[in-house]
Amino acid sequence: MNAPLEPTSAPTRDAAQAALLAALAGIVPDHCLLWKQEDTIPYECDGLAAYRQVPLAVVLPENEAQVCQILAACHALGVPIVPRGAGPSLSGGAMPIGNGLVLSLARFKKIIKVDPLSRTAIVQPGVRNLAISEAAAPHGLYYAPDPSSQIACTIGGNVSENSGGVHCLKYGLTVHNVLRVRAVTMQGEVVEFGSEAPDAPGLDLLAALIGSEGMLAVVTEITVRLVPKPQLAQVIMASFNDVEAGGNAVAAVIAAGIIPAGLEMMDKPATAAVEEFVKAGYDLEAEAILLCESDGTPEEVAEEIERMSEVLRGCGATRIQVSQSEAERLRFWSGRKNAFPAAGRISADYYCMDGTIPRKHIGTLLRRIQEMEAKYRLRCINVFHAGDGNMHPLILFNGADQDEWHRAELFGADILETCVELGGTVTGEHGVGVEKLNSACVQFSPQELEMFFRVKAAFDPAKLLNPDKAIPTLARCAEYGKLHVRNGLLPHPDLPRF
């Protein structure tokens, strides 16, 4: 287990807190400022609860002008800031800094405008993902990226992590569905990225901002793209008696020139956990199931369902069931979207990973994970966005047992670094945060890390926005390299070792 973070010494912390509160008192009313321990403890972590740190204070501004003043004041004081949305993120990206301020955008929850003609919506960052689709529904439109946490997660957090969802294969990630972002720099300056036009002049800084994990600017307003609700959608539930065959079927569907609206996979332990929880109607005898959705006109759906069924049978599917009603379709998806809470019912704790690999290696990774279960003596259930190779293995363990938690961390790092070995990445949509800093050392060269830091410095020279997240330092990588050996080789052998 990682060593607990060192708290700031009491006299220094008290003085820093007093100076910060004095600066903020003239900017926001009293009810927007939290500093007593009982009020700040709820903000000590995000969804990765293993990493915790109580901040000096939490501020909940009510308008953009206050955000500008807060950032400018903290810049002058040298106080680091961690922007925060609803907090379901799973990589520790919203974990506070001990000598810093949490800037919560929870009160920025207005849907400013829904424009059915341009098929756009202008929203504040505290708006829930699902609330955008609910507001657009009367116009026959919806917001496509739909992470499993869409009922709770906010669009500002989605922008920070470049979130996806079960429909990201056809409709894209957050970066493909956001047109414009208004944000505030650490110096308190308002800037805009992107445009409602098809393109924006100059460098594509919008793409750099999306997925930057709160390290470049604080988002205050977002313009999203809306898409028409399809006339019909149906889901195939395909069963396989071998997980590798199921993984290979994913690659075969895409290779056949078919881009489903959704293409998800779950292994047998996952379907067993989910079925007991939501009664989705899953095949409990199958070693793996695929959920393949088609949407469009009735004619388009019928043709695509037939083509996908043919490919799946050719890959060894032992059973194919097509949803016959909208209620059944939603029930199939409810099982996939409730996989995380279902895991919580069968294990004291679970550790959700987020690696991405080329589709052709899905079967290989699943086989490797089965070998790791024996190596680390822990169970793992697998659910993932199979269509784009974004894997979400859930490692089951007991957090009260220090040895089990340590083995779970090693298991998770092994999965992520296997993803890199197979030509993938250590994150698909959850971000690096604090969780994957070591594994990022395995993926990126010292030159790449240096370039990442240069991009951050262009926005935040003082390194006050969400510091010590997402990008590992060269010193950290050197230390990790000294401790970590894979296939007899150290990563980045050119780096000096401690």
Side-chain angles (χ1 to χ4, degrees):
M1 182 174 179
N2 288 294
L5 296 173
E6 290 295 328
T8 306
S9 62
T12 303
R13 181 181 175 87
D14 290 347
Q17 184 184 63
L20 177 61
L21 294 176
L24 297 179
I27 299 173
V28 296
D30 290 345
H31 67 271
C32 294
L33 190 56
L34 307 176
W35 56 273
K36 295 180 180 178
Q37 188 175 30
E38 62 265 29
D39 296 323
T40 56
I41 280 182
Y43 295 87
E44 68 179 354
C45 66
D46 59 13
L48 186 66
Y51 298 83
R52 301 170 186 240
Q53 176 69 71
V54 178
L56 288 180
V58 177
V59 64
L60 296 94
E62 298 175 315
N63 55 61
E64 186 180 79
Q66 290 176 350
V67 173
C68 293
Q69 294 177 67
I70 291 166
L71 286 164
C74 287
H75 185 262
L77 290 171
V79 173
I81 283 182
V82 176
R84 180 187 169 98
S89 49
L90 294 167
S91 64
M95 187 188 73
I97 305 297
N99 62 339
L101 174 73
V102 168
L103 175 59
S104 171
L105 281 302
R107 290 179 175 162
F108 281 63
K109 54 186 180 182
K110 293 179 183 176
I111 297 177
I112 298 169
K113 180 182 180 182
V114 174
D115 187 343
L117 295 179
S118 65
R119 293 180 179 173
T120 61
I122 302 174
V123 301
Q124 291 185 324
V127 173
R128 292 179 302 110
N129 176 289
L130 186 58
I132 300 175
S133 291
E134 291 171 345
H139 306 288
L141 302 170
Y142 73 107
Y143 179 62
D146 55 344
S148 296
S149 59
Q150 69 175 150
I151 192 172
C153 66
T154 58
I155 186 64
N158 294 170
V159 167
S160 291
E161 305 295 348
N162 192 22
S163 303
V166 299
H167 291 99
C168 65
L169 176 60
K170 182 173 181 178
Y171 294 102
L173 302 164
T174 301
V175 70
H176 305 112
N177 290 275
V178 168
L179 300 172
R180 182 186 67 90
V181 169
R182 185 176 171 93
V184 183
T185 67
M186 189 64 217
Q187 295 81 6
E189 178 186 1
V190 176
V191 290
E192 290 199 3
F193 304 87
S195 166
E196 293 185 42
D199 197 5
L203 298 174
D204 186 8
L205 296 178
L206 177 63
L209 182 73
I210 296 174
S212 62
E213 303 191 39
M215 296 190 304
L216 305 184
V218 176
V219 174
T220 56
E221 187 179 284
I222 303 152
T223 301
V224 302
R225 187 195 317 274
L226 302 175
V227 296
K229 186 175 181 180
Q231 294 180 32
L232 178 67
Q234 284 186 292
V235 177
I236 298 173
M237 180 174 69
S239 304
F240 292 85
N241 57 16
D242 179 77
V243 290
E244 283 199 67
N248 293 336
V250 173
V253 168
I254 305 300
I258 304 169
I259 305 297
L263 183 51
E264 303 283 306
M265 187 172 177
M266 303 171 68
D267 66 6
K268 189 173 185 177
T271 54
V274 166
E275 188 63 21
E276 184 181 351
F277 184 44
V278 299
K279 304 292 188 292
Y282 289 161
D283 180 358
L284 297 180
E285 299 302 315
E287 291 299 318
I289 66 167
L290 289 182
L291 297 177
C292 314
E293 179 162 290
S294 175
D295 65 10
T297 65
E299 295 78 13
E300 290 170 334
V301 170
E303 179 185 0
E304 193 166 82
I305 289 288
E306 183 178 351
R307 290 179 63 204
M308 282 196 292
S309 298
E310 182 179 349
V311 172
L312 294 169
R313 288 191 187 98
C315 291
T318 56
R319 171 182 165 187
I320 288 181
Q321 181 179 343
V322 181
S323 63
Q324 298 301 307
S325 67
E326 179 65 3
E328 187 174 37
R329 182 186 78 87
L330 293 175
R331 190 165 67 249
F332 284 173
W333 282 125
S334 73
R336 167 61 185 88
K337 291 203 168 191
N338 282 285
F340 291 7
R345 296 180 75 247
I346 63 173
S347 176
D349 296 280
Y350 66 86
Y351 188 19
C352 176
M353 305 314 299
D354 169 49
T356 302
I357 58 171
R359 285 183 289 264
K360 63 182 179 181
H361 292 312
I362 288 176
T364 302
L365 180 62
L366 288 172
R367 186 182 70 251
R368 296 275 288 272
I369 288 175
Q370 288 179 334
E371 295 169 358
M372 293 176 201
E373 287 185 278
K375 177 181 178 180
Y376 296 104
R377 307 190 309 281
L378 294 171
R379 292 182 297 156
C380 181
I381 65 176
N382 293 285
V383 297
F384 44 91
H385 307 310
D388 63 351
N390 188 196
M391 318 288 284
H392 292 316
L394 302 174
I395 301 167
L396 309 181
F397 71 102
N398 179 5
D401 184 324
Q402 293 291 303
D403 180 63
E404 277 204 20
W405 173 219
H406 178 62
R407 281 186 278 126
E409 282 197 309
L410 293 175
F411 193 164
D414 205 347
I415 291 174
L416 295 178
E417 290 159 27
T418 300
C419 288
V420 175
E421 179 189 331
L422 294 174
T425 68
V426 298
T427 180
E429 58 173 344
H430 293 176
V432 173
V434 297
E435 175 201 28
K436 304 186 184 82
L437 284 172
N438 286 342
S439 294
C441 293
V442 175
Q443 175 153 24
F444 299 112
S445 69
Q447 293 76 19
E448 288 172 314
L449 295 175
E450 180 62 29
M451 289 305 300
F452 295 161
F453 278 118
R454 288 187 184 184
V455 172
K456 176 169 174 58
F459 287 84
D460 176 25
K463 301 179 182 178
L464 294 174
L465 269 177
N466 216 9
D468 304 321
K469 311 277 181 69
I471 311 172
T473 63
L474 295 182
R476 183 188 189 105
C477 290
E479 184 67 13
Y480 186 58
K482 185 177 71 171
L483 300 174
H484 176 79
V485 177
R486 176 176 284 281
N487 297 328
L489 300 174
L490 292 173
H492 310 316
D494 54 309
L495 284 178
R497 305 293 165 182
F498 285 23

